[in-house]
Amino acid sequence: MRDPFRLLLVGGLGLLLSFASPAVLLVEASSIAVGKSSVTLELRGKTIPVFLYKPESFKGERILVVMHGVNRNAEEYRDHAEKMGDRFGALIVTPLFDTKQFPSVKYQRGGVVDKENRVQPRDEWTYLLIPEIVDGIRDLENKRDIPFYVIGHSAGGQFVVRMSALLNTGAKRLVASNPGSLIFPTRDSPFGYGFGGLPDELSSDEQLKNFLSAPLTLYVGTDDNKPDEYFDDSADAMKQGGGRYQRSHSCFEMAKRLAESKGWPFAWRIVDAPGIGHDHEMMFNHDMCGQALFGDESPMHDQR
């Protein structure tokens, strides 16, 4: 059973949903309104605003969680993801992880380690909030079985790829778009860039095997291939490549080789967006975004 939490909806929805106790759910409205809205969730002692977009075409098929970049501009990401909602018939869910509650060590690194690289208890990981956010939105829709997908760009892409390495969220597909650095399936690099320094239960061969079987897509713009203002140029990051494009491809190739050498299942995909640089809106609206999220089964509601 999930921890008790409270949802306060704003943006014209006029709805209050709360857990009076772990076993009692009070609901005063049936679903999220079509169009833009927002919701505030209190989960695990954190207050998380979530920006929503529900397309007219939405019939409960899928939720798409969108993870913002380093500028923490979740509302803008929601706005720029609207076309994805329309194209794919998806309810867009864009949580804000602010810098006060979620500095980089708790956002890009998911709270797995602190500033001194000390491993933190699992129940303090930021990653655990993602399925709980989704459950809250499912409750608002009165539909507990809506499948969900996650796409994050830049710092949000870092969040997604590291989350996929350590936690099975239940997402149908996890898309890391133009991540500045990645966690490679190796114990030879420190956590963030690899699994080095993590305890055995988080860095064992079994953990690496699980990582390679995660439904992860590395979605990269071919022109995101050189440093910019926010580029991680630390020594460990530079070992991964001179640009985000190169780093994602290097990570994918290492993972593929490892899976082949061990005989492990390999569920990753890598998808290029030709001619696109470090721009989340252009990545979201590119034709290849459907391939990154859904493979050959991409739903196209706006082309029916």
Side-chain angles (χ1 to χ4, degrees):
M1 180 161 302
R2 291 174 288 120
D3 292 338
F5 61 85
R6 177 167 56 95
L7 303 177
L8 298 174
L9 270 75
V10 297
L13 293 183
L15 175 126
L16 171 66
L17 178 150
S18 65
F19 280 112
S21 73
V24 179
L25 180 66
L26 304 176
V27 182
E28 296 180 6
S30 60
S31 67
I32 297 167
V34 169
K36 296 180 183 181
S37 59
S38 60
V39 57
T40 296
L41 291 78
E42 292 188 6
L43 298 166
R44 297 178 178 268
K46 305 291 186 182
T47 300
I48 306 172
V50 181
F51 298 92
L52 306 170
Y53 173 69
K54 183 177 182 179
E56 292 184 4
S57 61
F58 182 71
K59 296 180 174 61
E61 303 100 320
R62 60 195 60 87
I63 288 169
L64 180 54
V65 179
V66 179
M67 304 299 295
H68 58 69
V70 71
N71 290 327
R72 315 300 176 113
N73 48 340
E75 186 170 11
E76 180 182 77
Y77 265 63
R78 185 273 311 274
D79 294 346
H80 291 165
E82 283 185 32
K83 292 180 181 178
M84 286 197 295
D86 292 333
R87 285 165 67 195
F88 305 133
L91 176 59
I92 300 298
V93 176
T94 309
L96 170 61
F97 292 89
D98 64 80
T99 54
K100 183 177 180 180
Q101 295 183 106
F102 302 97
S104 60
V105 73
K106 287 185 174 291
Y107 187 52
Q108 290 95 313
R109 303 300 175 89
V112 176
V113 298
D114 63 14
K115 291 181 179 179
E116 285 73 42
N117 285 319
R118 295 174 298 198
V119 176
Q120 300 301 292
R122 187 179 185 278
D123 62 4
E124 295 181 14
W125 294 359
T126 309
Y127 303 138
L128 296 172
L129 294 171
I130 299 304
E132 293 184 0
I133 289 169
V134 170
D135 279 344
I137 300 305
R138 286 168 168 164
D139 285 339
L140 296 180
E141 282 294 301
N142 285 331
K143 189 173 182 180
R144 296 286 300 154
D145 59 351
I146 307 175
F148 77 99
Y149 301 73
V150 183
I151 184 170
H153 184 265
S154 194
Q158 293 185 48
F159 180 96
V160 169
V161 72
R162 294 186 182 107
M163 178 173 68
S164 72
L166 295 172
L167 181 70
N168 180 0
T169 62
K172 297 284 287 184
R173 177 60 52 172
L174 299 150
V175 178
S177 172
N178 291 337
S181 62
L182 303 91
I183 181 168
F184 279 47
T186 176
R187 291 180 284 268
D188 293 336
S189 298
F191 175 71
Y193 306 99
F195 288 75
L198 295 178
D200 290 345
E201 64 267 23
L202 299 180
S203 60
S204 65
D205 275 4
E206 188 65 23
Q207 187 69 48
L208 296 180
K209 180 180 178 182
N210 291 339
F211 182 26
L212 300 190
S213 67
L216 174 66
T217 300
L218 303 181
Y219 176 44
V220 284
T222 60
D223 287 359
D224 198 354
N225 57 8
K226 53 187 175 297
D228 59 18
E229 179 182 2
Y230 298 109
F231 191 69
D232 184 349
D233 60 0
S234 65
D236 288 311
M238 293 307 294
K239 293 176 183 177
Q240 299 187 348
R244 297 181 183 88
Y245 177 81
Q246 296 92 324
R247 292 176 181 183
S248 285
H249 276 265
S250 293
C251 185
F252 183 86
E253 289 303 319
M254 175 184 279
K256 183 179 179 181
R257 288 194 302 269
L258 179 60
E260 289 174 349
S261 68
K262 297 284 191 179
W264 293 344
F266 186 57
W268 295 17
R269 292 197 291 255
I270 190 159
V271 176
D272 289 349
I276 306 300
H278 199 64
D279 186 309
H280 69 271
E281 184 175 13
M282 294 182 73
M283 292 293 288
F284 292 167
N285 293 329
H286 197 279
D287 288 345
M288 296 307 294
C289 189
Q291 184 71 25
L293 281 162
F294 307 108
D296 295 332
E297 305 299 322
S298 179
M300 297 296 289
H301 278 228
D302 62 343
Q303 295 185 5
R304 291 180 301 175

